[in-house]
Amino acid sequence: MVKHTTATNQRLASLSRFMQILDGTFPSGIFVHSFGLEPHIIKWIVKDITTLKLYLNNLILDQYMRLEFVIIKKVYENLQEDKVNKIYSMDNKYSSLMTYEYSKASTNIGYNYYTQIKNHISKSVVQNYFDAIENKKSDGNEIVVLSSYAFDLDICMEDFIVMWCKKNLINISATALKISRIKPSEIQQMLFQFDEILGNLEFEKLGDKITNFNPLFEEVIFAHKNLEPKMFVT
């Protein structure tokens, strides 16, 4: 029988905690944005397992690598440098970049996470951020709350990004089951392939600039006859 070190025990405990936190069935619920999957299926752009895989891969490259992953990187950096005020600002900016409904859902589930884990924080810098959520100084978006908690649990940035992203890919794919004819067994095998894709992400290429321009999302909006392009709506 292998005897674990204290560090190994802590790492396993942290991963176990996050498996529970990221399980959307209980008690937080699920928050995920498909960024246009439904209209892509209706327009027959996503029609089989090959095009679904391409869509999800592009979601990582065009959305997450430019916004969410950059947010996570900045949360980790600012927590390491004890720059909590920058996290407040970034948290609130993230809300302003998104549509009203997206921001509302993101902050609602972020608050759900916050209420469940607020009594389990060990690092003072993370506690300061959580105090800001309690005092309404920070919006408490899901991605910022979870990033901060992962930092508190000493989960490295790369591991957190992979876990968070895979959770989203699974939830988006589950949606595809309801609105397409793609078989569950095909989706399961396709999701297995993303383990290698996520394992080969070039985290060192994450920039510092946050952008919310997503070609996938813009394409379906510009092609829709009854919607104004969101970039012109105030």
Side-chain angles (χ1 to χ4, degrees), residues 54-114:
L54 178 62
Y55 180 88
L56 294 176
N57 191 60
N58 287 340
L59 180 66
I60 294 173
L61 298 176
D62 292 329
Q63 174 67 31
Y64 294 154
M65 289 289 288
R66 299 183 184 188
L67 182 54
E68 278 80 3
F69 292 174
V70 181
I71 291 282
I72 295 169
K73 173 190 171 186
K74 287 180 172 293
V75 168
Y76 269 71
E77 289 175 346
N78 289 325
L79 288 173
Q80 287 168 347
E81 298 172 6
D82 200 12
K83 296 179 178 178
V84 184
N85 287 340
K86 287 192 174 183
I87 297 180
Y88 306 164
S89 176
M90 184 172 55
D91 194 5
N92 297 336
K93 179 180 180 181
Y94 182 72
S95 298
S96 68
L97 287 172
M98 300 303 181
T99 63
Y100 171 76
E101 291 299 332
Y102 181 103
S103 296
K104 183 179 179 181
S106 176
T107 53
N108 282 347
I109 200 163
Y111 192 79
N112 287 347
Y113 284 129
Y114 158 74

Side-chain angles (χ1 to χ4, degrees), residues 36-220:
L37 176 62
E38 297 85 350
H40 274 76
I41 289 176
I42 293 171
K43 290 166 64 67
W44 210 242
I45 298 172
V46 174
K47 58 183 180 294
D48 52 28
I49 197 63
T50 301
T51 49
L52 177 61
K53 180 181 178 182
L54 178 62
Y55 180 88
L56 294 176
N57 191 60
N58 287 340
L59 180 66
I60 294 173
L61 298 176
D62 292 329
Q63 174 67 31
Y64 294 154
M65 289 289 288
R66 299 183 184 188
L67 182 54
E68 278 80 3
F69 292 174
V70 181
I71 291 282
I72 295 169
K73 173 190 171 186
K74 287 180 172 293
V75 168
Y76 269 71
E77 289 175 346
N78 289 325
L79 288 173
Q80 287 168 347
E81 298 172 6
D82 200 12
K83 296 179 178 178
V84 184
N85 287 340
K86 287 192 174 183
I87 297 180
Y88 306 164
S89 176
M90 184 172 55
D91 194 5
N92 297 336
K93 179 180 180 181
Y94 182 72
S95 298
S96 68
L97 287 172
M98 300 303 181
T99 63
Y100 171 76
E101 291 299 332
Y102 181 103
S103 296
K104 183 179 179 181
S106 176
T107 53
N108 282 347
I109 200 163
Y111 192 79
N112 287 347
Y113 284 129
Y114 158 74
T115 57
Q116 293 160 30
I117 61 182
K118 64 181 180 179
N119 296 323
H120 302 277
I121 302 302
S122 60
K123 292 181 171 62
S124 60
V125 64
V126 177
Q127 186 61 57
N128 289 338
Y129 166 61
F130 274 39
D131 289 343
I133 297 175
E134 181 68 28
N135 297 324
K136 309 299 182 184
K137 293 181 180 178
S138 200
D139 285 349
N141 279 288
E142 175 248 15
I143 188 67
V144 185
V145 172
L146 290 180
S147 300
S148 301
Y149 191 50
F151 180 87
D152 189 76
L153 292 174
D154 293 319
I155 296 174
C156 73
M157 181 192 77
E158 293 82 0
D159 285 353
F160 170 67
I161 284 177
V162 169
M163 288 191 292
W164 180 85
C165 183
K166 188 66 179 288
K167 176 207 69 157
N168 280 2
L169 297 181
I170 292 169
N171 290 335
I172 293 171
S173 296
T175 301
L177 286 173
K178 301 176 182 179
I179 57 177
S180 75
R181 295 183 178 180
I182 304 173
K183 298 178 180 178
S185 58
E186 289 182 307
I187 291 181
Q188 179 81 310
Q189 295 303 313
M190 180 266 299
L191 287 170
F192 284 153
Q193 296 171 26
F194 272 94
D195 292 338
E196 182 177 358
I197 293 172
L198 294 174
N200 291 323
L201 284 177
E202 296 178 307
F203 295 105
E204 67 278 2
K205 291 188 177 181
L206 287 177
D208 292 317
K209 183 179 180 181
I210 296 173
T211 173
N212 67 332
F213 178 77
N214 180 343
L216 284 173
F217 200 43
E218 305 295 333
E219 177 188 357
V220 293

